[in-house]
PDB file of all heavy atoms in Angstrom:
ATOM      1  N   GLN A 129      68.534 -34.757 171.824  1.00 98.00           N
ATOM      2  CA  GLN A 129      68.322 -33.897 173.008  1.00 98.00           C
ATOM      3  C   GLN A 129      67.264 -32.849 172.735  1.00 98.00           C
ATOM      4  O   GLN A 129      66.508 -32.431 173.613  1.00 98.00           O
ATOM      5  CB  GLN A 129      69.674 -33.236 173.419  1.00 98.00           C
ATOM      6  CG  GLN A 129      70.712 -34.253 173.863  1.00 98.00           C
ATOM      7  CD  GLN A 129      71.462 -34.945 172.667  1.00 98.00           C
ATOM      8  OE1 GLN A 129      71.253 -34.560 171.501  1.00 98.00           O
ATOM      9  NE2 GLN A 129      72.319 -35.849 173.032  1.00 98.00           N
ATOM     10  N   ALA A 130      67.260 -32.347 171.480  1.00 98.00           N
ATOM     11  CA  ALA A 130      66.266 -31.304 171.119  1.00 98.00           C
ATOM     12  C   ALA A 130      64.842 -31.811 171.238  1.00 98.00           C
ATOM     13  O   ALA A 130      63.960 -31.093 171.726  1.00 98.00           O
ATOM     14  CB  ALA A 130      66.525 -30.794 169.750  1.00 98.00           C
ATOM     15  N   PHE A 131      64.657 -33.084 170.894  1.00 98.00           N
ATOM     16  CA  PHE A 131      63.291 -33.627 170.976  1.00 98.00           C
ATOM     17  C   PHE A 131      62.965 -34.129 172.425  1.00 98.00           C
ATOM     18  O   PHE A 131      61.758 -34.203 172.728  1.00 98.00           O
ATOM     19  CB  PHE A 131      63.017 -34.638 169.932  1.00 98.00           C
ATOM     20  CG  PHE A 131      62.327 -34.012 168.759  1.00 98.00           C
ATOM     21  CD1 PHE A 131      62.986 -33.174 167.865  1.00 98.00           C
ATOM     22  CD2 PHE A 131      60.934 -34.128 168.574  1.00 98.00           C
ATOM     23  CE1 PHE A 131      62.393 -32.515 166.885  1.00 98.00           C
ATOM     24  CE2 PHE A 131      60.272 -33.467 167.551  1.00 98.00           C
ATOM     25  CZ  PHE A 131      60.986 -32.663 166.749  1.00 98.00           C
ATOM     26  N   ALA A 132      63.945 -34.255 173.215  1.00 98.00           N
ATOM     27  CA  ALA A 132      63.619 -34.423 174.635  1.00 98.00           C
ATOM     28  C   ALA A 132      63.039 -33.120 175.161  1.00 98.00           C
ATOM     29  O   ALA A 132      62.094 -33.094 176.005  1.00 98.00           O
ATOM     30  CB  ALA A 132      64.914 -34.776 175.450  1.00 98.00           C
ATOM     31  N   VAL A 133      63.562 -31.988 174.743  1.00 98.00           N
ATOM     32  CA  VAL A 133      62.993 -30.665 175.068  1.00 98.00           C
ATOM     33  C   VAL A 133      61.596 -30.546 174.553  1.00 98.00           C
ATOM     34  O   VAL A 133      60.709 -30.102 175.265  1.00 98.00           O
ATOM     35  CB  VAL A 133      63.859 -29.524 174.528  1.00 98.00           C
ATOM     36  CG1 VAL A 133      63.211 -28.172 174.722  1.00 98.00           C
ATOM     37  CG2 VAL A 133      65.227 -29.547 175.142  1.00 98.00           C
ATOM     38  N   VAL A 134      61.328 -30.981 173.319  1.00 98.00           N
ATOM     39  CA  VAL A 134      59.996 -30.910 172.798  1.00 98.00           C
ATOM     40  C   VAL A 134      58.976 -31.712 173.606  1.00 98.00           C
ATOM     41  O   VAL A 134      57.921 -31.163 173.992  1.00 98.00           O
ATOM     42  CB  VAL A 134      60.017 -31.483 171.265  1.00 98.00           C
ATOM     43  CG1 VAL A 134      58.550 -31.636 170.782  1.00 98.00           C
ATOM     44  CG2 VAL A 134      60.784 -30.551 170.414  1.00 98.00           C
ATOM     45  N   PHE A 135      59.311 -32.919 173.992  1.00 98.00           N
ATOM     46  CA  PHE A 135      58.365 -33.729 174.706  1.00 98.00           C
ATOM     47  C   PHE A 135      58.227 -33.307 176.171  1.00 98.00           C
ATOM     48  O   PHE A 135      57.180 -33.428 176.761  1.00 98.00           O
ATOM     49  CB  PHE A 135      58.723 -35.241 174.620  1.00 98.00           C
ATOM     50  CG  PHE A 135      58.338 -35.817 173.242  1.00 98.00           C
ATOM     51  CD1 PHE A 135      59.315 -36.123 172.274  1.00 98.00           C
ATOM     52  CD2 PHE A 135      57.007 -36.013 172.955  1.00 98.00           C
ATOM     53  CE1 PHE A 135      58.926 -36.669 171.076  1.00 98.00           C
ATOM     54  CE2 PHE A 135      56.609 -36.556 171.745  1.00 98.00           C
ATOM     55  CZ  PHE A 135      57.550 -36.852 170.757  1.00 98.00           C
ATOM     56  N   ASP A 136      59.314 -32.797 176.719  1.00 98.00           N
ATOM     57  CA  ASP A 136      59.133 -32.126 178.052  1.00 98.00           C
ATOM     58  C   ASP A 136      58.180 -30.953 178.002  1.00 98.00           C
ATOM     59  O   ASP A 136      57.391 -30.759 178.980  1.00 98.00           O
ATOM     60  CB  ASP A 136      60.513 -31.668 178.611  1.00 98.00           C
ATOM     61  CG  ASP A 136      61.389 -32.795 179.069  1.00 98.00           C
ATOM     62  OD1 ASP A 136      60.910 -33.946 179.248  1.00 98.00           O
ATOM     63  OD2 ASP A 136      62.622 -32.562 179.275  1.00 98.00           O
ATOM     64  N   THR A 137      58.249 -30.194 176.934  1.00 98.00           N
ATOM     65  CA  THR A 137      57.367 -29.018 176.763  1.00 98.00           C
ATOM     66  C   THR A 137      55.943 -29.496 176.540  1.00 98.00           C
ATOM     67  O   THR A 137      54.986 -28.833 177.001  1.00 98.00           O
ATOM     68  CB  THR A 137      57.878 -28.166 175.600  1.00 98.00           C
ATOM     69  OG1 THR A 137      59.274 -27.911 175.778  1.00 98.00           O
ATOM     70  CG2 THR A 137      57.115 -26.844 175.586  1.00 98.00           C
ATOM     71  N   VAL A 138      55.738 -30.585 175.823  1.00 97.00           N
ATOM     72  CA  VAL A 138      54.393 -31.150 175.665  1.00 97.00           C
ATOM     73  C   VAL A 138      53.809 -31.481 177.038  1.00 97.00           C
ATOM     74  O   VAL A 138      52.675 -31.152 177.332  1.00 97.00           O
ATOM     75  CB  VAL A 138      54.387 -32.446 174.794  1.00 97.00           C
ATOM     76  CG1 VAL A 138      53.105 -33.187 174.820  1.00 97.00           C
ATOM     77  CG2 VAL A 138      54.766 -32.045 173.354  1.00 97.00           C
ATOM     78  N   LYS A 139      54.588 -32.197 177.842  1.00 97.00           N
ATOM     79  CA  LYS A 139      54.132 -32.562 179.188  1.00 97.00           C
ATOM     80  C   LYS A 139      53.774 -31.310 180.050  1.00 97.00           C
ATOM     81  O   LYS A 139      52.754 -31.299 180.728  1.00 97.00           O
ATOM     82  CB  LYS A 139      55.218 -33.405 179.896  1.00 97.00           C
ATOM     83  CG  LYS A 139      54.851 -33.920 181.236  1.00 97.00           C
ATOM     84  CD  LYS A 139      55.928 -34.792 181.887  1.00 97.00           C
ATOM     85  CE  LYS A 139      55.560 -35.228 183.272  1.00 97.00           C
ATOM     86  NZ  LYS A 139      56.592 -36.049 183.861  1.00 97.00           N
ATOM     87  N   ALA A 140      54.668 -30.284 179.962  1.00 98.00           N
ATOM     88  CA  ALA A 140      54.409 -29.083 180.753  1.00 98.00           C
ATOM     89  C   ALA A 140      53.155 -28.433 180.291  1.00 98.00           C
ATOM     90  O   ALA A 140      52.389 -27.922 181.152  1.00 98.00           O
ATOM     91  CB  ALA A 140      55.621 -28.148 180.614  1.00 98.00           C
ATOM     92  N   ALA A 141      52.932 -28.380 179.016  1.00 97.00           N
ATOM     93  CA  ALA A 141      51.725 -27.720 178.514  1.00 97.00           C
ATOM     94  C   ALA A 141      50.434 -28.376 178.988  1.00 97.00           C
ATOM     95  O   ALA A 141      49.462 -27.744 179.439  1.00 97.00           O
ATOM     96  CB  ALA A 141      51.716 -27.667 176.992  1.00 97.00           C
ATOM     97  N   ASN A 142      50.404 -29.714 178.950  1.00 94.00           N
ATOM     98  CA  ASN A 142      49.274 -30.469 179.399  1.00 94.00           C
ATOM     99  C   ASN A 142      49.076 -30.271 180.938  1.00 94.00           C
ATOM    100  O   ASN A 142      47.928 -30.095 181.400  1.00 94.00           O
ATOM    101  CB  ASN A 142      49.393 -31.960 179.058  1.00 94.00           C
ATOM    102  CG  ASN A 142      49.111 -32.181 177.578  1.00 94.00           C
ATOM    103  OD1 ASN A 142      48.226 -31.611 176.975  1.00 94.00           O
ATOM    104  ND2 ASN A 142      49.965 -33.041 177.006  1.00 94.00           N
ATOM    105  N   THR A 143      50.151 -30.330 181.695  1.00 95.00           N
ATOM    106  CA  THR A 143      50.053 -30.192 183.122  1.00 95.00           C
ATOM    107  C   THR A 143      49.518 -28.825 183.544  1.00 95.00           C
ATOM    108  O   THR A 143      48.636 -28.707 184.374  1.00 95.00           O
ATOM    109  CB  THR A 143      51.452 -30.411 183.784  1.00 95.00           C
ATOM    110  OG1 THR A 143      51.870 -31.704 183.462  1.00 95.00           O
ATOM    111  CG2 THR A 143      51.341 -30.248 185.295  1.00 95.00           C
ATOM    112  N   LEU A 144      50.031 -27.798 182.874  1.00 96.00           N
ATOM    113  CA  LEU A 144      49.620 -26.424 183.188  1.00 96.00           C
ATOM    114  C   LEU A 144      48.157 -26.209 182.816  1.00 96.00           C
ATOM    115  O   LEU A 144      47.395 -25.544 183.532  1.00 96.00           O
ATOM    116  CB  LEU A 144      50.494 -25.397 182.435  1.00 96.00           C
ATOM    117  CG  LEU A 144      51.880 -25.236 183.001  1.00 96.00           C
ATOM    118  CD1 LEU A 144      52.852 -24.539 181.988  1.00 96.00           C
ATOM    119  CD2 LEU A 144      51.889 -24.446 184.320  1.00 96.00           C
ATOM    120  N   ALA A 145      47.738 -26.784 181.655  1.00 93.00           N
ATOM    121  CA  ALA A 145      46.349 -26.665 181.300  1.00 93.00           C
ATOM    122  C   ALA A 145      45.425 -27.414 182.285  1.00 93.00           C
ATOM    123  O   ALA A 145      44.370 -26.855 182.649  1.00 93.00           O
ATOM    124  CB  ALA A 145      46.122 -27.260 179.899  1.00 93.00           C
ATOM    125  N   ASP A 146      45.878 -28.594 182.784  1.00 91.00           N
ATOM    126  CA  ASP A 146      45.024 -29.311 183.768  1.00 91.00           C
ATOM    127  C   ASP A 146      44.958 -28.522 185.057  1.00 91.00           C
ATOM    128  O   ASP A 146      43.918 -28.600 185.792  1.00 91.00           O
ATOM    129  CB  ASP A 146      45.701 -30.671 184.029  1.00 91.00           C
ATOM    130  CG  ASP A 146      45.593 -31.595 182.864  1.00 91.00           C
ATOM    131  OD1 ASP A 146      44.752 -31.328 181.975  1.00 91.00           O
ATOM    132  OD2 ASP A 146      46.353 -32.610 182.825  1.00 91.00           O
ATOM    133  N   GLN A 147      45.974 -27.700 185.342  1.00 94.00           N
ATOM    134  CA  GLN A 147      45.979 -26.885 186.592  1.00 94.00           C
ATOM    135  C   GLN A 147      45.222 -25.561 186.429  1.00 94.00           C
ATOM    136  O   GLN A 147      45.119 -24.794 187.386  1.00 94.00           O
ATOM    137  CB  GLN A 147      47.411 -26.611 187.070  1.00 94.00           C
ATOM    138  CG  GLN A 147      48.157 -27.877 187.484  1.00 94.00           C
ATOM    139  CD  GLN A 147      49.671 -27.621 187.658  1.00 94.00           C
ATOM    140  OE1 GLN A 147      50.150 -26.612 187.311  1.00 94.00           O
ATOM    141  NE2 GLN A 147      50.345 -28.605 188.286  1.00 94.00           N
ATOM    142  N   GLY A 148      44.759 -25.293 185.195  1.00 92.00           N
ATOM    143  CA  GLY A 148      44.041 -24.088 184.894  1.00 92.00           C
ATOM    144  C   GLY A 148      44.852 -22.871 184.457  1.00 92.00           C
ATOM    145  O   GLY A 148      44.308 -21.778 184.334  1.00 92.00           O
ATOM    146  N   ASP A 149      46.212 -23.035 184.329  1.00 95.00           N
ATOM    147  CA  ASP A 149      47.082 -21.926 183.901  1.00 95.00           C
ATOM    148  C   ASP A 149      47.058 -21.918 182.343  1.00 95.00           C
ATOM    149  O   ASP A 149      48.036 -22.364 181.708  1.00 95.00           O
ATOM    150  CB  ASP A 149      48.428 -22.094 184.475  1.00 95.00           C
ATOM    151  CG  ASP A 149      49.251 -20.818 184.333  1.00 95.00           C
ATOM    152  OD1 ASP A 149      48.890 -19.967 183.532  1.00 95.00           O
ATOM    153  OD2 ASP A 149      50.318 -20.700 185.012  1.00 95.00           O
ATOM    154  N   VAL A 150      45.995 -21.371 181.729  1.00 93.00           N
ATOM    155  CA  VAL A 150      45.814 -21.497 180.321  1.00 93.00           C
ATOM    156  C   VAL A 150      46.903 -20.713 179.516  1.00 93.00           C
ATOM    157  O   VAL A 150      47.407 -21.183 178.556  1.00 93.00           O
ATOM    158  CB  VAL A 150      44.382 -20.957 179.925  1.00 93.00           C
ATOM    159  CG1 VAL A 150      44.260 -20.962 178.413  1.00 93.00           C
ATOM    160  CG2 VAL A 150      43.339 -21.865 180.589  1.00 93.00           C
ATOM    161  N   ALA A 151      47.193 -19.460 180.017  1.00 95.00           N
ATOM    162  CA  ALA A 151      48.204 -18.653 179.320  1.00 95.00           C
ATOM    163  C   ALA A 151      49.559 -19.355 179.203  1.00 95.00           C
ATOM    164  O   ALA A 151      50.178 -19.434 178.146  1.00 95.00           O
ATOM    165  CB  ALA A 151      48.318 -17.316 179.968  1.00 95.00           C
ATOM    166  N   ALA A 152      50.002 -19.876 180.360  1.00 97.00           N
ATOM    167  CA  ALA A 152      51.334 -20.585 180.365  1.00 97.00           C
ATOM    168  C   ALA A 152      51.292 -21.827 179.466  1.00 97.00           C
ATOM    169  O   ALA A 152      52.260 -22.168 178.792  1.00 97.00           O
ATOM    170  CB  ALA A 152      51.742 -20.904 181.790  1.00 97.00           C
ATOM    171  N   ALA A 153      50.161 -22.568 179.560  1.00 96.00           N
ATOM    172  CA  ALA A 153      50.014 -23.753 178.743  1.00 96.00           C
ATOM    173  C   ALA A 153      50.078 -23.440 177.249  1.00 96.00           C
ATOM    174  O   ALA A 153      50.723 -24.097 176.484  1.00 96.00           O
ATOM    175  CB  ALA A 153      48.702 -24.502 179.133  1.00 96.00           C
ATOM    176  N   MET A 154      49.329 -22.369 176.881  1.00 96.00           N
ATOM    177  CA  MET A 154      49.355 -21.960 175.448  1.00 96.00           C
ATOM    178  C   MET A 154      50.741 -21.580 174.970  1.00 96.00           C
ATOM    179  O   MET A 154      51.148 -21.882 173.838  1.00 96.00           O
ATOM    180  CB  MET A 154      48.368 -20.826 175.287  1.00 96.00           C
ATOM    181  CG  MET A 154      46.921 -21.195 175.406  1.00 96.00           C
ATOM    182  SD  MET A 154      46.291 -22.104 173.970  1.00 96.00           S
ATOM    183  CE  MET A 154      46.114 -20.795 172.812  1.00 96.00           C
ATOM    184  N   ALA A 155      51.506 -20.890 175.812  1.00 97.00           N
ATOM    185  CA  ALA A 155      52.863 -20.460 175.435  1.00 97.00           C
ATOM    186  C   ALA A 155      53.768 -21.703 175.160  1.00 97.00           C
ATOM    187  O   ALA A 155      54.563 -21.707 174.212  1.00 97.00           O
ATOM    188  CB  ALA A 155      53.509 -19.568 176.514  1.00 97.00           C
ATOM    189  N   ARG A 156      53.542 -22.712 175.993  1.00 98.00           N
ATOM    190  CA  ARG A 156      54.416 -23.943 175.836  1.00 98.00           C
ATOM    191  C   ARG A 156      53.908 -24.719 174.620  1.00 98.00           C
ATOM    192  O   ARG A 156      54.708 -25.279 173.861  1.00 98.00           O
ATOM    193  CB  ARG A 156      54.396 -24.737 177.085  1.00 98.00           C
ATOM    194  CG  ARG A 156      55.336 -24.171 178.150  1.00 98.00           C
ATOM    195  CD  ARG A 156      55.048 -24.703 179.531  1.00 98.00           C
ATOM    196  NE  ARG A 156      56.048 -24.151 180.496  1.00 98.00           N
ATOM    197  CZ  ARG A 156      56.035 -22.913 180.973  1.00 98.00           C
ATOM    198  NH1 ARG A 156      55.027 -22.109 180.663  1.00 98.00           N
ATOM    199  NH2 ARG A 156      56.932 -22.515 181.847  1.00 98.00           N
ATOM    200  N   ALA A 157      52.648 -24.738 174.391  1.00 97.00           N
ATOM    201  CA  ALA A 157      52.098 -25.418 173.217  1.00 97.00           C
ATOM    202  C   ALA A 157      52.599 -24.700 171.907  1.00 97.00           C
ATOM    203  O   ALA A 157      52.962 -25.347 170.937  1.00 97.00           O
ATOM    204  CB  ALA A 157      50.605 -25.453 173.229  1.00 97.00           C
ATOM    205  N   ALA A 158      52.608 -23.371 171.951  1.00 97.00           N
ATOM    206  CA  ALA A 158      53.152 -22.625 170.849  1.00 97.00           C
ATOM    207  C   ALA A 158      54.603 -22.922 170.550  1.00 97.00           C
ATOM    208  O   ALA A 158      55.009 -23.019 169.406  1.00 97.00           O
ATOM    209  CB  ALA A 158      52.966 -21.133 171.091  1.00 97.00           C
ATOM    210  N   ALA A 159      55.356 -23.133 171.641  1.00 98.00           N
ATOM    211  CA  ALA A 159      56.761 -23.548 171.506  1.00 98.00           C
ATOM    212  C   ALA A 159      56.877 -24.887 170.835  1.00 98.00           C
ATOM    213  O   ALA A 159      57.793 -25.095 170.050  1.00 98.00           O
ATOM    214  CB  ALA A 159      57.458 -23.515 172.840  1.00 98.00           C
ATOM    215  N   VAL A 160      55.991 -25.815 171.187  1.00 98.00           N
ATOM    216  CA  VAL A 160      56.029 -27.148 170.529  1.00 98.00           C
ATOM    217  C   VAL A 160      55.795 -27.003 169.035  1.00 98.00           C
ATOM    218  O   VAL A 160      56.450 -27.590 168.251  1.00 98.00           O
ATOM    219  CB  VAL A 160      55.004 -28.094 171.198  1.00 98.00           C
ATOM    220  CG1 VAL A 160      54.893 -29.403 170.382  1.00 98.00           C
ATOM    221  CG2 VAL A 160      55.402 -28.351 172.637  1.00 98.00           C
ATOM    222  N   PHE A 161      54.753 -26.252 168.667  1.00 97.00           N
ATOM    223  CA  PHE A 161      54.488 -26.038 167.262  1.00 97.00           C
ATOM    224  C   PHE A 161      55.685 -25.438 166.573  1.00 97.00           C
ATOM    225  O   PHE A 161      56.103 -25.845 165.472  1.00 97.00           O
ATOM    226  CB  PHE A 161      53.315 -25.029 167.103  1.00 97.00           C
ATOM    227  CG  PHE A 161      51.968 -25.706 167.180  1.00 97.00           C
ATOM    228  CD1 PHE A 161      51.071 -25.398 168.249  1.00 97.00           C
ATOM    229  CD2 PHE A 161      51.483 -26.598 166.248  1.00 97.00           C
ATOM    230  CE1 PHE A 161      49.865 -25.959 168.417  1.00 97.00           C
ATOM    231  CE2 PHE A 161      50.242 -27.219 166.351  1.00 97.00           C
ATOM    232  CZ  PHE A 161      49.431 -26.879 167.437  1.00 97.00           C
ATOM    233  N   GLU A 162      56.337 -24.470 167.206  1.00 98.00           N
ATOM    234  CA  GLU A 162      57.492 -23.779 166.579  1.00 98.00           C
ATOM    235  C   GLU A 162      58.690 -24.718 166.424  1.00 98.00           C
ATOM    236  O   GLU A 162      59.325 -24.756 165.426  1.00 98.00           O
ATOM    237  CB  GLU A 162      57.881 -22.549 167.399  1.00 98.00           C
ATOM    238  CG  GLU A 162      58.853 -21.617 166.770  1.00 98.00           C
ATOM    239  CD  GLU A 162      58.344 -20.935 165.523  1.00 98.00           C
ATOM    240  OE1 GLU A 162      57.130 -20.938 165.331  1.00 98.00           O
ATOM    241  OE2 GLU A 162      59.179 -20.396 164.774  1.00 98.00           O
ATOM    242  N   MET A 163      58.971 -25.504 167.467  1.00 98.00           N
ATOM    243  CA  MET A 163      60.100 -26.435 167.388  1.00 98.00           C
ATOM    244  C   MET A 163      59.896 -27.453 166.335  1.00 98.00           C
ATOM    245  O   MET A 163      60.849 -27.873 165.603  1.00 98.00           O
ATOM    246  CB  MET A 163      60.366 -27.023 168.756  1.00 98.00           C
ATOM    247  CG  MET A 163      60.876 -26.049 169.784  1.00 98.00           C
ATOM    248  SD  MET A 163      61.295 -26.720 171.432  1.00 98.00           S
ATOM    249  CE  MET A 163      59.629 -27.048 172.077  1.00 98.00           C
ATOM    250  N   CYS A 164      58.674 -27.996 166.215  1.00 98.00           N
ATOM    251  CA  CYS A 164      58.383 -28.972 165.198  1.00 98.00           C
ATOM    252  C   CYS A 164      58.433 -28.355 163.786  1.00 98.00           C
ATOM    253  O   CYS A 164      58.977 -29.020 162.825  1.00 98.00           O
ATOM    254  CB  CYS A 164      57.013 -29.615 165.382  1.00 98.00           C
ATOM    255  SG  CYS A 164      56.933 -30.674 166.800  1.00 98.00           S
ATOM    256  N   ARG A 165      57.993 -27.147 163.666  1.00 97.00           N
ATOM    257  CA  ARG A 165      58.115 -26.426 162.376  1.00 97.00           C
ATOM    258  C   ARG A 165      59.554 -26.237 161.956  1.00 97.00           C
ATOM    259  O   ARG A 165      59.932 -26.358 160.767  1.00 97.00           O
ATOM    260  CB  ARG A 165      57.415 -25.068 162.495  1.00 97.00           C
ATOM    261  CG  ARG A 165      57.371 -24.320 161.177  1.00 97.00           C
ATOM    262  CD  ARG A 165      56.543 -23.024 161.319  1.00 97.00           C
ATOM    263  NE  ARG A 165      57.296 -22.002 162.047  1.00 97.00           N
ATOM    264  CZ  ARG A 165      58.246 -21.201 161.546  1.00 97.00           C
ATOM    265  NH1 ARG A 165      58.561 -21.319 160.244  1.00 97.00           N
ATOM    266  NH2 ARG A 165      58.843 -20.323 162.256  1.00 97.00           N
ATOM    267  N   ALA A 166      60.448 -26.050 162.919  1.00 98.00           N
ATOM    268  CA  ALA A 166      61.883 -25.825 162.587  1.00 98.00           C
ATOM    269  C   ALA A 166      62.502 -26.991 161.864  1.00 98.00           C
ATOM    270  O   ALA A 166      63.492 -26.854 161.176  1.00 98.00           O
ATOM    271  CB  ALA A 166      62.664 -25.545 163.884  1.00 98.00           C
TER     272      ALA A 166
END
């Protein structure tokens, strides 16, 4: 279930970046890095 969250966050980061919301996309990408590091 935790990695379902990870991949949902990957999708959200890419979608937000495509929509031009760079700050929100970067925050979600940072969360992916952090969850993988954990």
